[in-house]
């Protein structure tokens, strides 16, 4: 009995030490892990498609080459087109900023008049000057941030490494995925192998349902918002629409962020209510499609990840590891969720709960 307890204690110490070592390693190497994590995620996402192509009679290597070439041929032209449209809209937006400021000040002028009427001691001119200065300072800060991002050598190096290393990692992960899984299975403890494999299958089901499904939702929603805002004529509509769609994997954050930014630009750009209401209609239709068709069909309710748990995981991951943390937050949340449910089931079957 004592020997069994000591064995369990040693197992817990081993797995806890391994987990701590893994966490410390990720934190220390966080600045260089991004392209490798991105490559692994791409390999995971494309593995089912590669397995289907493999059934056509191709070996794994040629199936991987074919899938990677197909993805590059589809994604690369779309990226070039997207960058061209965003560059054109960004240039037009920057050149129109002075007119936007003037338009905004004219539209909020009645507010100053009302404030002056209700509060006679309020110096309206000082308030106007304060608003002008803050708008100007805000634009200066925005310009400084954009310039810093574009000219920062470390950021450029990260983007370059992401573009060069990620496809290579994705290729090898995709080609050797089955071999990698087989080797991992060979390292599992024999007594716990069945239980671990059961949990791994559940994790895979959750990740497949959420990541692949949510990625499809984000791309479709981003495309809808971008096209809709572009048709409406909103400056930066393509950029804002895609940002709103891409960050829609964070519950409610994508749509709210995109709506607020779009309304701010629309209020400055348009002079009539009809065009502003068209922007509102784009987001209203987008939310209807997401809630009633896209998410139920592509993601479903069976993934077992509560929206609050997802938001907490993303926030914690972003704070601790930056963009890398955002990428691994959902997989880590899925793993922890499955392990926690498994431990709760064990607890309910234990004498501690039964007694």
């Amino acid at each position: 009995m004592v020997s069994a307890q000591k064995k369990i204690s040693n197992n817990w110490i081993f797995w806890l030490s391994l987990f701590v070592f893994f966490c410390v390693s990720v934190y220390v190497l966080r600045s260089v892990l991004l392209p490798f994590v991105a490559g692994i995620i791409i390999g995971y996402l494309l593995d089912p498609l590669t397995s289907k192509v493999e059934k056509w009679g191709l070996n794994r290597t040629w199936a991987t080459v074919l899938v990677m070439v197909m993805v590059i041929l589809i994604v690369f032209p779309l990226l070039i087109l997207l960058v061209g449209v965003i560059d054109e809209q960004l240039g037009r937006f920057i050149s129109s900023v002075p007119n936007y400021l003037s338009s905004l000040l004219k539209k909020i002028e009645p507010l100053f008049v009302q404030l002056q009427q209700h509060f006679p001691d309020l110096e309206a001119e000082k308030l106007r000057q304060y608003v002008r200065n803050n708008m100007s300072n805000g634009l200066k800060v925005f310009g400084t941030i954009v310039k810093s991002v574009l000219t920062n050598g470390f950021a450029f190096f990260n983007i370059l490494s992401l573009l060069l290393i990620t496809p290579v990692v994705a290729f090898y992960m995709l080609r050797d995925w089955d071999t990698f899984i087989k080797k991992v299975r060979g390292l599992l403890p024999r007594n716990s192998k069945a239980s671990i494999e059961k949990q791994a299958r559940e994790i895979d089901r959750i990740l497949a349902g959420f990541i692949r499904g949510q990625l499809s939702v984000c791309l479709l929603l981003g495309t809808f918002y971008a096209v809709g805002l572009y048709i409406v004529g909103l400056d930066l509509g393509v950029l804002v629409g895609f940002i709103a769609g891409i960050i829609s994997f964070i519950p409610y954050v994508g749509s709210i962020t995109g709506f607020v930014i779009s309304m701010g630009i629309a209020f400055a750009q348009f002079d009539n209510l009809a065009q502003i209401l068209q922007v509102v209609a784009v987001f209203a239709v987008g939310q209807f499609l997401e809630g009633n068709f896209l998410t139920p069909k592509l993601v479903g309710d069976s993934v077992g990840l509560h929206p609050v748990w997802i938001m907490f995981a993303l926030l914690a991951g972003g704070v601790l590891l930056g963009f890398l943390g955002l990428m691994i937050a959902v997989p880590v949340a899925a793993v922890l969720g499955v392990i926690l449910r498994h431990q709760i089931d064990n607890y309910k079957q234990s004498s501690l709960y039964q007694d």
Side-chain angles (χ1 to χ4, degrees):
M1 182 70 177
V2 175
S3 177
Q5 290 178 346
K6 185 176 180 181
K7 185 177 180 181
I8 293 173
S9 176
N10 290 337
N11 287 341
W12 271 104
I13 292 173
F14 171 77
W15 288 112
L16 183 61
S17 301
L18 189 64
F19 176 74
V20 171
F21 175 75
F22 172 77
C23 293
V24 171
S25 300
V26 170
Y27 184 78
V28 172
L29 299 174
R30 64 190 183 280
S31 60
V32 297
L33 282 178
L34 182 59
F36 297 95
V37 173
I40 292 171
I41 292 175
I42 291 173
Y44 174 77
L45 292 174
L46 296 179
D47 177 63
L49 178 60
T50 307
S51 297
K52 289 181 180 179
V53 174
E54 198 176 2
K55 292 179 181 178
W56 297 350
L58 298 174
N59 62 35
R60 185 71 181 187
T61 300
W62 283 109
T64 301
V65 170
L66 181 60
V67 170
M68 293 294 290
V69 169
M70 287 169 55
V71 171
I72 291 173
L73 290 177
I74 294 172
V75 172
F76 192 66
L78 291 176
L79 283 177
I80 293 177
L81 178 64
L82 180 62
V83 169
V85 173
I86 290 175
D87 181 64
E88 181 267 332
Q89 287 204 333
L90 190 60
R92 190 171 64 192
F93 176 78
I94 293 174
S95 64
S96 302
V97 164
N99 294 332
Y100 288 163
L101 288 176
S102 176
S103 175
L104 275 173
L105 289 172
K106 287 181 180 177
K107 289 174 180 177
I108 63 176
E109 182 66 28
L111 177 61
F112 294 137
V113 174
Q114 290 182 6
L115 286 174
Q116 185 72 48
Q117 291 174 351
H118 289 85
F119 305 97
D121 295 334
L122 182 67
E123 298 183 27
E125 187 56 38
K126 286 187 177 181
L127 187 59
R128 292 188 187 95
Q129 190 62 38
Y130 175 79
V131 173
R132 290 193 192 98
N133 291 340
N134 276 276
M135 286 182 177
S136 177
N137 292 334
L139 289 172
K140 288 179 182 178
V141 170
F142 176 76
T144 303
I145 293 173
V146 172
K147 185 178 180 181
S148 175
V149 170
L150 293 176
T151 60
N152 186 285
F154 186 70
F156 177 76
F157 174 78
N158 282 340
I159 294 173
L160 190 64
S161 66
L162 196 65
L163 293 175
L164 296 179
I165 298 176
T166 298
V168 177
V169 175
F171 173 82
Y172 283 108
M173 286 301 301
L174 198 55
R175 190 193 68 176
D176 301 328
W177 190 267
D178 294 336
T179 305
F180 173 75
I181 296 298
K182 190 178 298 183
K183 288 183 177 180
V184 170
R185 281 179 174 173
L187 295 174
L188 297 177
R190 294 181 180 180
N191 291 335
S192 307
K193 186 174 181 179
S195 175
I196 294 175
E197 287 183 344
K198 179 182 177 182
Q199 294 178 63
R201 286 192 293 270
E202 186 176 353
I203 291 170
D204 179 63
R205 178 186 63 82
I206 291 173
L207 290 181
F210 184 84
I211 296 181
R212 295 188 182 114
Q214 193 64 55
L215 183 62
S216 301
V217 171
C218 290
L219 290 175
L220 291 172
L221 204 58
T223 302
F224 174 81
Y225 285 145
V227 173
L229 295 176
Y230 182 78
I231 293 174
V232 170
L234 186 74
D235 284 348
L236 290 185
V238 173
L239 178 61
V240 174
F242 266 108
I243 290 175
I246 295 303
I247 63 175
S248 290
F249 66 92
I250 309 175
Y252 310 112
V253 172
S255 56
I256 292 174
T257 302
F259 178 75
V260 171
I261 295 175
S262 296
M263 290 305 295
I265 297 175
F267 187 70
Q269 178 185 351
F270 300 133
D271 293 324
N272 60 77
L273 183 61
Q275 289 177 298
I276 296 176
L277 290 178
Q278 288 175 359
V279 175
V280 175
V282 169
F283 280 92
V285 173
Q287 281 300 289
F288 176 79
L289 293 175
E290 179 189 6
N292 294 277
F293 297 100
L294 297 179
T295 299
K297 297 293 184 183
L298 298 176
V299 180
D301 299 324
S302 60
V303 295
L305 290 175
H306 195 277
V308 175
W309 177 233
I310 295 172
M311 285 191 283
F312 173 77
L314 290 167
L315 181 60
V319 170
L320 293 174
L321 300 173
F323 187 69
L324 174 65
L326 293 176
M327 293 185 68
I328 67 174
V330 172
V332 170
V335 171
L336 292 178
V338 170
I339 293 175
L340 182 60
R341 285 195 292 271
H342 178 73
Q343 293 302 320
I344 291 174
D345 290 339
N346 288 342
Y347 163 70
K348 287 185 176 180
Q349 295 174 8
S350 68
S351 59
L352 181 65
Y353 177 78
Q354 298 292 338
D355 294 341

